Amino acid sequence: MALATSGYPEQARAAISWIAQRYTGSDWHTSDPQNTAAIARQCDAYENLWLAWGAQRSGMTREARGFYGRCRDLQDPVTGGVRSRVDALSVDLYDLRSTALTGLVGLSIGDEQAVSHAAEFTLRLMEDQPDTSRGFFLVRDGKGQLITSFPEGDARLFVVGFAQRQHDPLYYALALGMAFLATVYDQYGEAEFLSGARRYAAECMARTNWILRHHYTGKIGWGMSLLYRITGEHQYRAMAEQAVSYLLRTQLASGAWWIPTLYESFDDQPRAVTLDRSAEHALWLRLFSDTFRAEGTPS
């Protein structure tokens, strides 16, 4: 995705082809052959969705629809939610991050039905929050009920808390909700989507002191830049610029990123994490730049 967005389509296509050959089965289930837990699962939707989006950006339509189609089958036709991981023992748990990402990829591929269902889930999830001062709950069950009680060890997957109360919250889930609804509004112009994007932005801004100095900062900034381009409101631009500043300030001379919120030193950081975060941060910087250069962006 980073390569395709940054103007390296040939390299992006080579990467997708290598992934498909090395890790992907004929049913489009992608997993590491050395990871027995991943092999046992039927699908890791969140990861596959990124592959689908990158393939679509690279012009690899067959691969994009293959990766995406497997994830699309995990969308609940009633609630619009999407499950992240499916294995033999899985229960029907539908979460914001996979649902919003399905919507974003669906917009890219042209799957209007999936986009509509994902938007409904994302809007309703915001409407049904009992008390966001406790944290923002991310998951519904198969009956459409918000899950607010869960084992303490699973809290990170079910609720986005605050820095002083929760270790490493999934801030990016809120960012994807914001970016997805802003993008849907940009395409269709319906006021409820902009209102929903603003409410997700407000949830992000309620965590400002930490959320803009975090390894999930990039997604926050991209969503804020989209809202600034749409509305011209400088509160969103200020957030986006703080996010950009953090990414630029923490980039190493090599071009890579060390994630101090996760590892005490760069030497402690696994190479796979360095590759993943460096590619992702480069992607967000490119998307920031493209968004602010877009025609009609307020000066």
Side-chain angles (χ1 to χ4, degrees):
M1 182 69 171
L3 290 168
T5 305
S6 300
Y8 298 95
E10 292 184 10
Q11 291 87 338
R13 287 192 287 269
I16 291 290
S17 296
W18 187 84
I19 291 168
Q21 180 180 3
R22 177 73 172 80
Y23 296 108
T24 306
S26 58
D27 61 353
W28 296 101
H29 173 33
T30 300
S31 63
D32 186 340
Q34 296 180 333
N35 185 333
T36 55
I39 294 171
R41 290 192 291 268
Q42 298 171 31
C43 186
D44 290 336
Y46 188 75
E47 291 83 348
N48 263 36
L49 285 164
W50 276 107
L51 290 172
W53 206 0
Q56 182 71 11
R57 282 282 184 127
S58 306
M60 300 178 73
T61 304
R62 184 184 73 86
E63 289 81 356
R65 292 191 175 276
F67 290 125
Y68 175 75
R70 186 161 186 83
C71 303
R72 177 68 162 82
D73 290 341
L74 303 178
Q75 187 174 42
D76 178 34
V78 177
T79 67
V82 178
R83 288 182 283 175
S84 283
R85 290 185 171 180
V86 181
D87 57 34
L89 300 177
S90 72
V91 293
D92 291 337
L93 300 177
Y94 303 91
D95 69 282
L96 174 62
R97 64 178 192 135
S98 291
T99 302
L101 188 57
T102 295
L104 283 165
V105 181
L107 281 166
S108 176
I109 286 178
D111 186 352
E112 293 187 0
Q113 185 179 48
V115 172
S116 176
H117 287 330
E120 181 180 351
F121 178 95
T122 306
L123 288 170
R124 186 185 160 197
L125 193 71
M126 174 62 74
E127 293 292 339
D128 288 352
Q129 294 297 312
D131 177 8
T132 55
S133 67
R134 294 170 50 198
F136 188 96
F137 297 100
L138 299 171
V139 182
R140 291 189 181 283
D141 62 22
K143 298 179 180 179
Q145 298 299 309
L146 196 65
I147 298 178
T148 58
S149 298
F150 34 77
E152 184 176 347
D154 293 336
R156 182 171 180 267
L157 301 176
F158 285 85
V159 62
V160 178
F162 298 85
Q164 67 271 29
R165 293 180 235 160
Q166 184 181 17
H167 175 68
D168 203 24
L170 294 185
Y171 293 135
Y172 71 84
L174 295 176
L176 287 171
M178 170 177 52
F180 169 50
L181 292 177
T183 306
V184 175
Y185 171 79
D186 208 26
Q187 183 157 330
Y188 296 106
E190 296 183 21
E192 64 175 339
F193 300 132
L194 179 56
S195 176
R198 286 180 181 275
R199 293 182 68 180
Y200 275 99
E203 281 300 307
C204 293
M205 288 189 284
R207 298 159 172 81
T208 299
N209 289 336
W210 181 241
I211 205 169
L212 295 177
R213 300 192 305 275
H214 196 269
H215 61 102
Y216 295 144
T217 291
K219 293 184 180 74
I220 306 292
W222 177 51
M224 293 294 175
S225 71
L226 290 170
L227 275 176
Y228 173 67
R229 183 174 64 77
I230 291 167
T231 68
E233 295 180 17
H234 283 268
Q235 62 176 335
Y236 300 131
R237 177 165 186 155
M239 293 284 283
E241 288 179 342
Q242 287 180 64
V244 170
S245 176
Y246 175 79
L247 294 187
L248 294 176
R249 189 171 65 252
T250 55
Q251 187 177 26
L252 302 177
S254 66
W257 270 269
W258 159 47
I259 311 302
T261 51
L262 293 180
Y263 302 97
E264 291 187 3
S265 72
F266 180 71
D267 291 339
D268 293 331
Q269 181 169 279
R271 292 176 65 188
V273 175
T274 300
L275 174 62
D276 174 65
R277 296 305 182 189
S278 298
E280 182 168 331
H281 288 352
L283 170 63
W284 302 129
L285 289 173
R286 170 56 61 182
L287 292 177
F288 289 144
S289 177
D290 290 348
T291 299
F292 279 116
R293 283 204 309 261
E295 184 178 353
T297 300
S299 60

